Amino acid sequence: MSTISPERSVAEDTVYAKVAWRIIPLMFLCYIAAYLDRVNVGFAKLQMQSDVAGLSDTVYGLGAGIFFFGYFFFEVPSNILMEKFGARVWIARIMITWGIISSATLFVNSPWMFYVLRFLLGLAEAGFFPGIILYLTYWFPSRRRGRMVALFMTAIALTGVVGGPLSGWILHQFNGLANLKGWQMLFLFEGIPSILIGLCIPFILNDGIRSARWLTYEEKELLEQNLKDEEFQKSHLSLGQIFVDHRLLLFCLVYFCCAFGLYGTGFWIPQLIKNTGVNDPLYVGLLTAIPYGFGAIAMVLFGRSSDHSGERRWHFATAAFLGAVGIIISNLFRGNTLVAMIGLTVATVGILATFPIFWPMPTAVLAGTAAAAGIAWINSVGNLAGFFGPSIVGIVTDLTKRGDYGLYVVSAMLLLGAGLILRFVPKKSVVDDAA
């Protein structure tokens, strides 16, 4: 563990605060747009099923999840292309194309069209999240990355806080406008911001430290030196080794468990709340904001605590356990709106808190092209849970007429992820550099 003088620590804190305020709000805004376009289908379902013939729970679950197959196929190439073309150009391209495709979902009139547009949306968005995680490694050393990932990923929670009521309000207020249904207006209105932000990205985002005119020469030197100091601890793997390295395969499986929890519940939260007896889409949206509001706080607190202590494994396991327990509570008391909401809140707190703790672990051991491809590989394999999670819940719901059985599988996957981290990730592989 390195020792840093108090004077240098204060100077570093000032510089990193300057960097964080410059890039995190923009990344945060981009991710809100991305996540909103990804999960607004959960609210659209409340009206969409009655308008699109054949859109059963099974079809919905497959369509919601097939997004991640498109995501899977283009994830690694996309991250490598971002290293080649630069963050400004590539992130702008991603946002503009996914905004167009998300808005086009308003034209869905059959299950097959639903499948195709969800698959294309995955292709368009592939590379965005791992690209941002990679982009953060251009600026922040591992010991500061947990907090930055937490701040960036609270966009998921804020999307739930703002996006839930917003989606419910659009469904409630704009149904019938211009002869379009509420769910069609939802896709249109929530796709446009991604396009507008994407058009602005090339003018306000820097590709890295050297191109940042808002930093002084001394500040650039400090930032670059801190990144160089930890390079010797990292692995420089070839592209072929990325896909078979046992550490990365383990992280792929653990992230699969995290994403299984996020998407296995996230796509279904509006329906779960509706099942407790709340029927108005606006009220469903307002109630959805509660779990995500607490989740945002939890992400920051867990990320800060993990960075401060340098400990990742038990922080991750604790969060995953909370997620599993919360799901069980919401299932057992699904007929009671109050208790079910408490369970969903605990579940969301735990599930969201796993993410800012997870990503500093693999990024602490990867460098160069290995970081670009490795982050993308972990994210692409892990996010296949975005297909299997909603699909399993949907299929089990159709077969048993009870959604709670499928959610117990989600709970088990979270516990599996916690067990894998504690059993197979040695303490030494998680860089202890809190000081």
Coordinates of all heavy atoms in Angstrom, one line a residue, residues 49-124:
Q49 N -49.5 -4.5 -24.4 CA -50.1 -5.9 -24.5 C -51.5 -5.9 -25.1 O -51.8 -6.8 -25.9 CB -50.0 -6.6 -23.2 CG -48.6 -7.2 -22.9 CD -48.7 -8.1 -21.7 OE1 -49.1 -7.7 -20.6 NE2 -48.2 -9.3 -21.8
S50 N -52.3 -4.9 -24.8 CA -53.6 -4.9 -25.3 C -53.8 -4.4 -26.7 O -54.8 -4.6 -27.4 CB -54.5 -4.1 -24.3 OG -54.1 -2.7 -24.3
D51 N -52.7 -3.7 -27.2 CA -52.7 -3.2 -28.5 C -52.0 -4.0 -29.6 O -52.3 -3.9 -30.8 CB -52.1 -1.8 -28.5 CG -52.9 -0.8 -27.7 OD1 -54.2 -0.9 -27.7 OD2 -52.4 0.2 -27.1
V52 N -51.0 -4.8 -29.1 CA -50.2 -5.6 -30.1 C -50.6 -7.1 -29.9 O -50.4 -7.7 -28.9 CB -48.7 -5.4 -29.8 CG1 -47.9 -6.3 -30.8 CG2 -48.3 -4.0 -29.9
A53 N -51.2 -7.6 -30.9 CA -51.7 -9.0 -30.9 C -50.6 -10.0 -30.7 O -49.5 -9.9 -31.3 CB -52.5 -9.3 -32.2
G54 N -50.8 -10.9 -29.7 CA -49.8 -11.9 -29.5 C -48.7 -11.6 -28.5 O -47.7 -12.3 -28.3
L55 N -48.7 -10.4 -27.9 CA -47.7 -9.9 -27.0 C -48.0 -10.5 -25.6 O -48.4 -9.8 -24.7 CB -47.6 -8.4 -27.0 CG -46.3 -7.8 -26.4 CD1 -45.1 -8.2 -27.2 CD2 -46.4 -6.3 -26.2
S56 N -47.7 -11.8 -25.4 CA -47.9 -12.4 -24.1 C -46.8 -12.1 -23.2 O -45.8 -11.5 -23.6 CB -48.0 -14.0 -24.3 OG -46.7 -14.4 -24.8
D57 N -46.8 -12.5 -21.9 CA -45.7 -12.3 -21.0 C -44.5 -13.0 -21.5 O -43.3 -12.5 -21.3 CB -46.1 -12.9 -19.6 CG -47.0 -11.9 -18.8 OD1 -47.0 -10.7 -19.2 OD2 -47.6 -12.3 -17.9
T58 N -44.6 -14.2 -22.1 CA -43.4 -14.9 -22.7 C -42.8 -14.1 -23.8 O -41.6 -13.9 -23.8 CB -43.8 -16.3 -23.2 OG1 -44.3 -17.1 -22.1 CG2 -42.6 -17.0 -23.8
V59 N -43.6 -13.6 -24.7 CA -43.1 -12.8 -25.8 C -42.5 -11.5 -25.3 O -41.4 -11.1 -25.8 CB -44.3 -12.4 -26.8 CG1 -43.8 -11.4 -27.8 CG2 -44.8 -13.7 -27.5
Y60 N -43.1 -10.9 -24.4 CA -42.6 -9.6 -23.8 C -41.2 -9.9 -23.1 O -40.2 -9.2 -23.4 CB -43.5 -9.1 -22.7 CG -42.8 -8.0 -21.9 CD1 -42.6 -6.7 -22.4 CD2 -42.4 -8.3 -20.6 CE1 -41.9 -5.8 -21.6 CE2 -41.8 -7.4 -19.8 CZ -41.5 -6.1 -20.3 OH -40.8 -5.2 -19.6
G61 N -41.1 -11.0 -22.3 CA -39.9 -11.3 -21.7 C -38.8 -11.6 -22.7 O -37.6 -11.1 -22.5
L62 N -39.1 -12.3 -23.7 CA -38.1 -12.6 -24.8 C -37.7 -11.3 -25.5 O -36.5 -11.1 -25.8 CB -38.6 -13.7 -25.8 CG -38.8 -15.1 -25.3 CD1 -39.5 -15.9 -26.3 CD2 -37.5 -15.7 -24.9
G63 N -38.6 -10.5 -25.8 CA -38.3 -9.3 -26.5 C -37.5 -8.3 -25.7 O -36.6 -7.7 -26.2
A64 N -37.9 -8.2 -24.4 CA -37.2 -7.3 -23.5 C -35.7 -7.8 -23.4 O -34.8 -7.0 -23.3 CB -37.8 -7.3 -22.1
G65 N -35.5 -9.1 -23.4 CA -34.2 -9.7 -23.2 C -33.4 -9.8 -24.4 O -32.2 -9.8 -24.4
I66 N -34.0 -9.9 -25.6 CA -33.3 -10.2 -26.9 C -32.4 -9.0 -27.2 O -31.4 -9.1 -28.0 CB -34.3 -10.5 -28.0 CG1 -33.6 -11.3 -29.1 CG2 -34.8 -9.2 -28.6 CD1 -34.5 -11.9 -30.1
F67 N -32.7 -7.8 -26.6 CA -31.8 -6.7 -26.7 C -30.4 -7.0 -26.4 O -29.4 -6.6 -27.0 CB -32.3 -5.6 -25.7 CG -31.4 -4.5 -25.3 CD1 -31.4 -3.3 -26.0 CD2 -30.4 -4.7 -24.3 CE1 -30.6 -2.3 -25.7 CE2 -29.5 -3.7 -24.0 CZ -29.6 -2.4 -24.7
F68 N -30.2 -7.9 -25.4 CA -28.8 -8.2 -25.0 C -28.1 -9.2 -25.9 O -26.9 -9.3 -25.8 CB -28.9 -8.8 -23.5 CG -29.4 -7.8 -22.6 CD1 -30.7 -7.7 -22.2 CD2 -28.5 -6.8 -22.1 CE1 -31.2 -6.7 -21.3 CE2 -28.9 -5.8 -21.2 CZ -30.3 -5.8 -20.8
F69 N -28.8 -9.9 -26.8 CA -28.0 -10.6 -27.8 C -27.4 -9.7 -28.8 O -26.2 -9.9 -29.2 CB -29.0 -11.6 -28.5 CG -29.1 -12.9 -27.8 CD1 -30.2 -13.2 -27.0 CD2 -28.1 -13.9 -27.8 CE1 -30.4 -14.4 -26.3 CE2 -28.2 -15.1 -27.1 CZ -29.3 -15.3 -26.4
G70 N -28.1 -8.7 -29.2 CA -27.5 -7.6 -30.1 C -26.3 -7.0 -29.4 O -25.2 -6.8 -29.9
Y71 N -26.5 -6.7 -28.1 CA -25.5 -6.2 -27.2 C -24.3 -7.1 -27.2 O -23.1 -6.6 -27.3 CB -26.1 -6.0 -25.8 CG -25.5 -4.9 -25.0 CD1 -25.9 -3.6 -25.2 CD2 -24.7 -5.2 -23.9 CE1 -25.5 -2.6 -24.3 CE2 -24.2 -4.2 -23.1 CZ -24.6 -2.9 -23.3 OH -24.2 -1.9 -22.5
F72 N -24.5 -8.4 -27.1 CA -23.4 -9.3 -26.9 C -22.5 -9.4 -28.2 O -21.3 -9.4 -28.1 CB -24.0 -10.7 -26.7 CG -23.0 -11.8 -26.6 CD1 -22.3 -12.1 -25.5 CD2 -22.8 -12.6 -27.7 CE1 -21.3 -13.1 -25.5 CE2 -21.9 -13.7 -27.7 CZ -21.2 -13.9 -26.6
F73 N -23.1 -9.4 -29.4 CA -22.3 -9.6 -30.6 C -21.4 -8.4 -30.9 O -20.4 -8.6 -31.6 CB -23.3 -9.9 -31.7 CG -23.9 -11.3 -31.7 CD1 -25.2 -11.4 -31.6 CD2 -23.1 -12.4 -31.7 CE1 -25.8 -12.7 -31.6 CE2 -23.6 -13.7 -31.6 CZ -25.0 -13.8 -31.6
F74 N -21.8 -7.2 -30.5 CA -21.0 -6.0 -31.0 C -20.3 -5.4 -29.8 O -19.6 -4.3 -30.1 CB -22.0 -5.0 -31.6 CG -21.3 -4.0 -32.5 CD1 -20.4 -4.4 -33.5 CD2 -21.6 -2.7 -32.4 CE1 -19.7 -3.5 -34.3 CE2 -20.9 -1.8 -33.2 CZ -20.0 -2.2 -34.2
E75 N -20.3 -5.9 -28.6 CA -19.8 -5.3 -27.5 C -18.2 -5.1 -27.6 O -17.7 -4.0 -27.4 CB -20.1 -6.1 -26.2 CG -19.8 -5.4 -24.9 CD -20.9 -4.5 -24.4 OE1 -21.5 -3.8 -25.3 OE2 -21.1 -4.5 -23.2
V76 N -17.5 -6.2 -27.8 CA -16.1 -6.2 -27.8 C -15.6 -5.4 -29.0 O -14.7 -4.5 -28.8 CB -15.5 -7.6 -27.8 CG1 -14.0 -7.6 -28.0 CG2 -15.8 -8.3 -26.5
P77 N -16.1 -5.6 -30.2 CA -15.7 -4.8 -31.4 C -15.9 -3.3 -31.1 O -15.1 -2.4 -31.5 CB -16.5 -5.3 -32.5 CG -16.9 -6.7 -32.2 CD -17.0 -6.7 -30.7
S78 N -17.0 -3.0 -30.5 CA -17.4 -1.6 -30.2 C -16.3 -0.9 -29.3 O -15.9 0.2 -29.6 CB -18.8 -1.5 -29.6 OG -19.1 -0.1 -29.4
N79 N -15.9 -1.6 -28.3 CA -15.0 -1.0 -27.3 C -13.6 -0.8 -28.0 O -12.9 0.1 -27.7 CB -14.8 -1.9 -26.1 CG -15.1 -1.1 -24.8 OD1 -15.9 -0.1 -24.8 ND2 -14.5 -1.4 -23.7
I80 N -13.2 -1.8 -28.8 CA -11.9 -1.7 -29.5 C -12.0 -0.5 -30.5 O -11.0 0.2 -30.7 CB -11.6 -3.0 -30.2 CG1 -11.3 -4.1 -29.2 CG2 -10.4 -2.8 -31.1 CD1 -11.1 -5.5 -29.8
L81 N -13.1 -0.3 -31.2 CA -13.3 0.8 -32.1 C -13.3 2.1 -31.4 O -12.8 3.1 -31.9 CB -14.6 0.6 -32.9 CG -14.6 -0.5 -34.0 CD1 -16.0 -0.7 -34.5 CD2 -13.6 -0.1 -35.1
M82 N -13.7 2.1 -30.1 CA -13.7 3.4 -29.4 C -12.2 3.8 -29.1 O -11.9 5.0 -29.1 CB -14.5 3.3 -28.1 CG -14.6 4.6 -27.3 SD -15.4 4.6 -25.8 CE -14.1 4.7 -24.6
E83 N -11.4 2.8 -28.8 CA -10.0 3.1 -28.6 C -9.3 3.6 -29.9 O -8.5 4.5 -29.9 CB -9.2 1.8 -28.2 CG -9.2 1.5 -26.7 CD -7.8 1.2 -26.2 OE1 -7.1 0.4 -26.9 OE2 -7.4 1.8 -25.2
K84 N -9.8 3.2 -31.1 CA -9.3 3.6 -32.3 C -9.8 5.0 -32.7 O -9.0 5.9 -33.1 CB -9.6 2.6 -33.4 CG -9.1 3.0 -34.8 CD -9.5 2.0 -35.9 CE -8.9 2.4 -37.2 NZ -9.2 1.3 -38.3
F85 N -11.1 5.2 -32.6 CA -11.7 6.5 -33.1 C -11.8 7.6 -32.0 O -12.0 8.7 -32.3 CB -13.1 6.2 -33.7 CG -13.1 5.5 -34.9 CD1 -13.5 4.1 -34.9 CD2 -12.6 6.0 -36.1 CE1 -13.5 3.4 -36.1 CE2 -12.6 5.3 -37.3 CZ -13.1 4.0 -37.3
G86 N -11.6 7.2 -30.7 CA -11.8 8.2 -29.7 C -13.1 8.2 -29.0 O -14.1 7.8 -29.7
A87 N -13.2 8.6 -27.8 CA -14.5 8.5 -27.0 C -15.5 9.5 -27.6 O -16.7 9.2 -27.7 CB -14.2 8.9 -25.6
R88 N -15.1 10.7 -28.0 CA -16.0 11.7 -28.5 C -16.9 11.2 -29.7 O -18.1 11.2 -29.7 CB -15.3 13.0 -28.9 CG -14.7 13.7 -27.8 CD -14.2 15.1 -28.3 NE -13.3 14.9 -29.4 CZ -13.1 15.9 -30.3 NH1 -13.7 17.1 -30.2 NH2 -12.3 15.7 -31.3
V89 N -16.2 10.7 -30.7 CA -16.9 10.3 -31.9 C -17.7 9.0 -31.7 O -18.9 8.9 -32.1 CB -15.8 10.0 -33.0 CG1 -16.5 9.3 -34.3 CG2 -15.1 11.3 -33.5
W90 N -17.1 8.1 -30.9 CA -17.8 6.8 -30.8 C -19.0 6.8 -29.9 O -20.1 6.3 -30.2 CB -16.8 5.7 -30.4 CG -17.3 4.3 -30.7 CD1 -17.7 3.3 -29.8 CD2 -17.5 3.8 -32.0 NE1 -18.1 2.2 -30.5 CE2 -18.0 2.5 -31.9 CE3 -17.3 4.3 -33.3 CZ2 -18.3 1.7 -33.0 CZ3 -17.6 3.5 -34.4 CH2 -18.1 2.2 -34.2
I91 N -18.9 7.5 -28.8 CA -20.0 7.7 -27.9 C -21.2 8.4 -28.5 O -22.3 8.1 -28.4 CB -19.6 8.3 -26.5 CG1 -18.7 7.4 -25.8 CG2 -20.8 8.7 -25.7 CD1 -18.1 7.9 -24.5
A92 N -20.8 9.5 -29.3 CA -21.8 10.2 -30.1 C -22.6 9.3 -31.1 O -23.8 9.3 -31.2 CB -21.2 11.4 -30.8
R93 N -21.8 8.5 -31.8 CA -22.4 7.5 -32.7 C -23.4 6.6 -32.0 O -24.5 6.3 -32.5 CB -21.3 6.7 -33.4 CG -21.7 5.9 -34.6 CD -22.4 4.6 -34.3 NE -21.7 3.7 -33.4 CZ -22.3 2.7 -32.8 NH1 -23.6 2.5 -32.9 NH2 -21.6 2.0 -32.0
I94 N -23.0 6.1 -30.9 CA -23.8 5.1 -30.2 C -25.1 5.8 -29.8 O -26.2 5.2 -30.0 CB -23.1 4.6 -28.9 CG1 -21.9 3.7 -29.3 CG2 -24.0 3.9 -28.0 CD1 -21.0 3.3 -28.2
M95 N -25.0 7.0 -29.2 CA -26.2 7.6 -28.7 C -27.2 8.0 -29.8 O -28.4 7.8 -29.6 CB -25.8 8.9 -27.8 CG -25.0 8.5 -26.6 SD -25.0 9.9 -25.4 CE -26.7 10.0 -24.9
I96 N -26.7 8.5 -30.9 CA -27.6 8.9 -32.0 C -28.3 7.7 -32.5 O -29.6 7.7 -32.8 CB -26.8 9.7 -33.1 CG1 -26.3 11.0 -32.5 CG2 -27.7 9.9 -34.3 CD1 -25.3 11.7 -33.4
T97 N -27.6 6.6 -32.8 CA -28.3 5.5 -33.4 C -29.3 4.8 -32.5 O -30.3 4.4 -32.9 CB -27.2 4.4 -33.9 OG1 -26.3 4.1 -32.8 CG2 -26.4 5.0 -35.1
W98 N -28.9 4.7 -31.2 CA -29.9 4.0 -30.3 C -31.1 4.9 -30.1 O -32.2 4.4 -29.9 CB -29.2 3.6 -29.0 CG -29.4 4.5 -27.8 CD1 -30.5 5.1 -27.3 CD2 -28.3 4.9 -26.9 NE1 -30.2 5.8 -26.2 CE2 -28.9 5.7 -25.9 CE3 -26.9 4.6 -26.9 CZ2 -28.1 6.2 -24.9 CZ3 -26.2 5.1 -25.8 CH2 -26.8 6.0 -24.9
G99 N -30.9 6.2 -30.1 CA -32.1 7.1 -29.9 C -33.1 7.0 -31.1 O -34.3 6.9 -30.9
I100 N -32.5 6.8 -32.3 CA -33.4 6.7 -33.5 C -34.2 5.4 -33.4 O -35.4 5.3 -33.6 CB -32.5 6.7 -34.8 CG1 -32.0 8.2 -35.0 CG2 -33.4 6.3 -36.0 CD1 -31.0 8.3 -36.1
I101 N -33.4 4.3 -33.1 CA -34.1 2.9 -33.0 C -35.1 2.9 -31.9 O -36.2 2.3 -32.0 CB -33.0 1.8 -32.9 CG1 -32.2 1.8 -34.2 CG2 -33.7 0.5 -32.7 CD1 -30.9 0.9 -34.1
S102 N -34.8 3.5 -30.7 CA -35.7 3.4 -29.6 C -37.0 4.1 -30.0 O -38.1 3.7 -29.7 CB -35.1 4.1 -28.4 OG -36.0 4.1 -27.3
S103 N -36.9 5.3 -30.6 CA -38.1 6.0 -31.1 C -38.9 5.2 -32.1 O -40.1 5.3 -32.1 CB -37.7 7.4 -31.7 OG -37.1 8.2 -30.7
A104 N -38.2 4.5 -32.9 CA -38.9 3.7 -34.0 C -39.7 2.5 -33.4 O -40.6 2.0 -34.1 CB -37.9 3.1 -34.9
T105 N -39.5 2.2 -32.1 CA -40.3 1.1 -31.5 C -41.8 1.5 -31.4 O -42.6 0.6 -31.2 CB -39.8 0.9 -30.0 OG1 -38.3 0.7 -30.1 CG2 -40.4 -0.4 -29.5
L106 N -42.1 2.7 -31.6 CA -43.5 3.1 -31.6 C -44.3 2.5 -32.8 O -45.5 2.4 -32.8 CB -43.7 4.7 -31.7 CG -43.3 5.4 -33.0 CD1 -44.5 5.5 -33.9 CD2 -42.8 6.8 -32.6
F107 N -43.6 2.0 -33.8 CA -44.2 1.4 -35.0 C -44.5 -0.1 -34.8 O -45.0 -0.8 -35.7 CB -43.3 1.6 -36.2 CG -43.2 3.0 -36.6 CD1 -41.9 3.6 -36.5 CD2 -44.3 3.8 -37.0 CE1 -41.8 5.0 -36.8 CE2 -44.1 5.1 -37.4 CZ -42.9 5.7 -37.3
V108 N -44.1 -0.7 -33.6 CA -44.3 -2.1 -33.4 C -45.8 -2.5 -33.5 O -46.7 -1.9 -32.9 CB -43.8 -2.5 -32.0 CG1 -44.3 -3.9 -31.6 CG2 -42.3 -2.5 -31.9
N109 N -46.0 -3.5 -34.4 CA -47.4 -4.0 -34.5 C -47.5 -5.6 -34.5 O -48.5 -6.1 -34.8 CB -48.0 -3.5 -35.8 CG -47.2 -3.9 -37.1 OD1 -46.3 -4.8 -37.0 ND2 -47.4 -3.2 -38.2
S110 N -46.4 -6.2 -34.2 CA -46.4 -7.7 -34.1 C -45.2 -8.1 -33.2 O -44.3 -7.3 -33.0 CB -46.2 -8.3 -35.5 OG -44.9 -8.0 -36.0
P111 N -45.3 -9.3 -32.6 CA -44.2 -9.8 -31.8 C -42.8 -9.8 -32.6 O -41.8 -9.5 -32.0 CB -44.6 -11.2 -31.5 CG -46.1 -11.2 -31.4 CD -46.5 -10.2 -32.6
W112 N -42.9 -10.2 -33.9 CA -41.6 -10.3 -34.6 C -41.0 -8.9 -34.8 O -39.7 -8.7 -34.7 CB -41.8 -11.0 -35.9 CG -41.9 -12.5 -35.8 CD1 -43.0 -13.3 -35.9 CD2 -40.8 -13.3 -35.4 NE1 -42.6 -14.6 -35.6 CE2 -41.3 -14.6 -35.4 CE3 -39.4 -13.1 -35.2 CZ2 -40.5 -15.7 -35.0 CZ3 -38.6 -14.2 -34.9 CH2 -39.2 -15.5 -34.8
M113 N -41.8 -7.9 -35.0 CA -41.3 -6.5 -35.2 C -40.7 -6.1 -33.8 O -39.7 -5.4 -33.8 CB -42.3 -5.6 -35.6 CG -41.8 -4.2 -36.1 SD -43.1 -3.2 -36.8 CE -42.1 -1.8 -37.3
F114 N -41.3 -6.5 -32.7 CA -40.8 -6.2 -31.4 C -39.5 -6.8 -31.2 O -38.5 -6.1 -30.7 CB -41.8 -6.7 -30.4 CG -41.5 -6.4 -28.9 CD1 -41.2 -5.1 -28.5 CD2 -41.4 -7.4 -28.0 CE1 -40.9 -4.8 -27.2 CE2 -41.1 -7.2 -26.7 CZ -40.9 -5.9 -26.3
Y115 N -39.3 -8.1 -31.6 CA -38.0 -8.7 -31.4 C -36.9 -8.0 -32.2 O -35.8 -7.8 -31.8 CB -38.2 -10.2 -31.9 CG -39.0 -11.1 -31.1 CD1 -39.6 -12.2 -31.7 CD2 -39.1 -10.9 -29.7 CE1 -40.4 -13.1 -30.9 CE2 -39.9 -11.8 -29.0 CZ -40.6 -12.8 -29.6 OH -41.3 -13.7 -28.8
V116 N -37.2 -7.7 -33.5 CA -36.2 -7.1 -34.4 C -35.7 -5.8 -33.9 O -34.5 -5.5 -33.8 CB -36.8 -7.0 -35.8 CG1 -35.9 -6.1 -36.7 CG2 -37.0 -8.3 -36.5
L117 N -36.7 -4.9 -33.5 CA -36.3 -3.6 -33.0 C -35.5 -3.7 -31.7 O -34.6 -2.9 -31.4 CB -37.5 -2.7 -32.9 CG -38.0 -2.1 -34.2 CD1 -39.3 -1.4 -34.0 CD2 -37.0 -1.2 -34.8
R118 N -35.9 -4.6 -30.8 CA -35.1 -4.7 -29.5 C -33.7 -5.3 -29.8 O -32.7 -4.8 -29.2 CB -35.9 -5.7 -28.6 CG -37.1 -5.2 -28.0 CD -36.9 -4.0 -27.1 NE -36.2 -4.4 -25.9 CZ -35.8 -3.6 -24.9 NH1 -36.1 -2.3 -25.0 NH2 -35.2 -4.0 -23.9
F119 N -33.6 -6.2 -30.8 CA -32.3 -6.7 -31.2 C -31.4 -5.6 -31.7 O -30.2 -5.4 -31.4 CB -32.4 -7.8 -32.2 CG -31.1 -8.4 -32.6 CD1 -30.4 -9.3 -31.8 CD2 -30.5 -8.1 -33.8 CE1 -29.2 -9.9 -32.2 CE2 -29.3 -8.6 -34.3 CZ -28.7 -9.5 -33.5
L120 N -32.0 -4.8 -32.6 CA -31.2 -3.7 -33.2 C -30.9 -2.6 -32.2 O -29.8 -2.0 -32.3 CB -32.1 -3.0 -34.3 CG -32.3 -3.9 -35.6 CD1 -33.2 -3.1 -36.6 CD2 -30.9 -4.2 -36.3
L121 N -31.7 -2.4 -31.2 CA -31.4 -1.4 -30.1 C -30.2 -1.9 -29.4 O -29.3 -1.1 -29.0 CB -32.6 -1.3 -29.2 CG -32.4 -0.2 -28.1 CD1 -32.3 1.2 -28.7 CD2 -33.6 -0.3 -27.1
G122 N -30.1 -3.2 -29.1 CA -28.9 -3.8 -28.5 C -27.6 -3.6 -29.3 O -26.6 -3.2 -28.8
L123 N -27.7 -3.8 -30.6 CA -26.6 -3.6 -31.5 C -26.1 -2.1 -31.4 O -24.9 -1.8 -31.4 CB -26.9 -3.9 -33.0 CG -26.9 -5.4 -33.4 CD1 -27.3 -5.5 -34.9 CD2 -25.6 -6.0 -33.2
A124 N -27.1 -1.2 -31.4 CA -26.8 0.2 -31.4 C -26.1 0.7 -30.1 O -25.2 1.4 -30.1 CB -28.0 1.0 -31.7

